[in-house]
Amino acid sequence: MPRTTVDVLLVSPGTTAGWRRLDAHAAAALRDLGLSVAVASSEFRIARHLRRTMQLTDLAEAAAMRRATTRALHRHRPRAILFSGVQSTMLQPRSRLANAGVRFDALTITNRPGRANALQHLLERRALRRVGVLLPAGLDTTTPAIRERPTVAWPFPVDIPAAVPAGREPVVLCYAGNPDKKGLDVIAQAWSIAAPADRRLVVTGIDPERGRAYLRQRGAGEPAGIEWAGNLDADRHGALLSRAEAYMSASRFEDYGIAQLEALAHGTPLVTTPSAGGYEALPLARELEPAFVARDERPEALARALRAALEMPAAARAAYSERARLLVAPYSDAEVRRRLEQDVLPALGL
């Protein structure tokens, strides 16, 4: 059967809701520019593998994406290949990488440290040396691991509402989809220490029973004033962000931090620990108000930062909101699409 010529083959892992949303946005943006797009994905679901080692999980994903790409190339002849996530490139043949780009947030060398993950580090280095252009989601492209390759920053898009309400409700919002990675225990302890009167801590992204079980396991306990909102769609989460007094984050490692950027896009003060990783919102939070960034990862430090945010006068809160929305403008849909058209496509030879 003859293959169909397409402009772009988008190799999308689809392992998480975040990647599925980002790749759907990328495919739509490419088509809006008049390009033909084919999508290669797989049935691999990362949640089924997380009880194993990260090495086995990454290798299983890499193998699944190689098979999906092979199937797609039997049907299509792309002018360029766009891979999402470094795992998608790890086991690909050299011939597929030379005329390809890879979009990624954190590299495995940073978010999978240690000798137990040495094989991924090796495969990642090999793939990154072979890929035609690197497309990091972070605006800082001076990372030593990628500085010797052709590199174009292509941020993940963040919804920035045209306007946000001036009034706020007595609510602090946080996300705990992966409660250990997101530091739900640290947040709960900080909330108990700060003991903000007549306010609610609204936790999203996790089933209430799972959240309570995790806190019991960590010996943190369920603090007073906590409210479990469960999994929310983008519109409901955005509505909460626009009304919240603050957004609290305590990630033990942050690959990128879309939720924190979304908080700033809604003009909501970001209270955060200085999480390791490619945490895009962290330098913005420090620029906006250093007092809202905890000195370390301890609950006591986060509680002090939370108190500072909740005690902010109304005029200062309005100024913070306006500046925050300006600082996240480089992550807007319009700017991400401009970078795609003017920077990414030429780098891919399109």
Side-chain angles (χ1 to χ4, degrees):
M1 184 167 125
R3 293 189 295 166
T4 303
T5 299
V6 295
D7 293 311
V8 179
L9 174 63
L10 176 59
V11 180
S12 171
T15 49
T16 65
W19 269 121
R20 291 191 291 274
R21 180 166 66 93
L22 290 167
D23 286 336
H25 179 277
L30 288 164
R31 290 178 178 127
D32 287 345
L33 291 172
L35 298 177
S36 55
V37 182
V39 178
S41 193
S42 75
E43 297 303 316
F44 182 85
R45 290 293 177 261
I46 197 168
R48 299 175 187 170
H49 296 76
L50 286 177
R51 287 189 294 270
R52 308 177 184 180
T53 67
M54 288 310 304
Q55 182 179 99
L56 288 175
T57 300
D58 287 340
L59 293 178
E61 179 181 350
M65 294 318 303
R66 174 170 174 147
R67 291 192 297 271
T69 307
T70 298
R71 289 195 298 270
L73 290 175
H74 285 157
R75 299 190 301 273
H76 305 288
R77 182 184 293 108
R79 295 171 58 201
I81 302 178
L82 180 58
F83 291 97
S84 290
V86 290
Q87 283 82 2
S88 293
T89 66
M90 284 181 177
L91 296 179
Q92 300 287 352
R94 180 193 293 267
S95 59
R96 294 179 185 172
L97 299 178
N99 190 32
V102 56
R103 193 183 195 190
F104 58 90
D105 44 16
L107 298 174
T108 63
I109 192 67
T110 58
N111 70 357
R112 310 272 203 274
R115 295 175 61 184
N117 297 298
L119 181 56
Q120 296 106 294
H121 303 165
L122 174 65
L123 294 172
E124 177 179 79
R125 286 195 302 272
R126 185 183 69 174
L128 294 184
R129 286 196 301 267
R130 296 174 174 177
V131 169
V133 59
L134 307 183
L135 304 169
L139 293 180
D140 182 3
T141 60
T142 60
T143 304
I146 63 175
R147 65 186 177 194
E148 296 179 359
R149 302 295 302 142
T151 303
V152 174
W154 189 19
F156 293 153
V158 173
D159 290 331
I160 304 178
V164 293
R168 297 281 170 157
E169 296 182 6
V171 166
V172 174
L173 195 63
C174 73
Y175 173 78
N178 181 332
D180 191 56
K181 181 179 179 181
K182 297 302 181 182
L184 178 59
D185 52 326
V186 177
I187 287 174
Q189 292 173 70
W191 183 260
S192 295
I193 295 167
D198 302 321
R199 290 181 171 93
R200 293 173 291 140
L201 173 64
V202 178
V203 182
T204 70
I206 191 170
D207 176 82
E209 289 308 311
R210 181 171 166 238
R212 293 185 181 107
Y214 172 77
L215 291 179
R216 287 194 299 270
Q217 175 189 350
R218 299 290 296 192
E222 185 175 1
I226 194 169
E227 181 178 306
W228 303 94
N231 292 303
L232 303 177
D233 61 32
D235 289 341
R236 290 177 63 200
H237 191 261
L240 267 178
L241 273 177
S242 290
R243 301 196 307 268
E245 275 190 281
Y247 185 91
M248 190 156 50
S249 173
S251 300
R252 290 183 163 89
F253 186 95
E254 192 57 73
D255 294 306
Y256 192 71
I258 287 182
Q260 294 90 330
L261 289 172
E262 288 177 340
L264 296 178
H266 285 77
T268 304
L270 174 58
V271 177
T272 183
T273 55
S275 307
Y279 189 2
E280 283 290 292
L282 183 57
L284 305 185
R286 285 188 167 128
E287 181 176 346
L288 285 162
E289 179 48 74
F292 299 171
V293 179
R295 295 183 63 181
D296 52 47
E297 293 76 18
R298 293 176 302 123
E300 295 82 2
L302 185 59
R304 283 193 294 271
L306 177 61
R307 288 194 197 103
L310 297 180
E311 293 168 0
M312 183 166 44
R317 178 179 293 278
Y320 181 107
S321 177
E322 183 177 351
R323 290 179 59 220
R325 286 164 54 76
L326 289 174
L327 285 178
V328 296
Y331 305 89
S332 69
D333 178 79
E335 176 61 14
V336 170
R337 286 173 179 258
R338 184 200 67 78
R339 284 178 178 267
L340 171 63
E341 181 176 14
Q342 298 182 14
D343 301 330
V344 176
L345 295 183
L348 291 171
L350 295 172

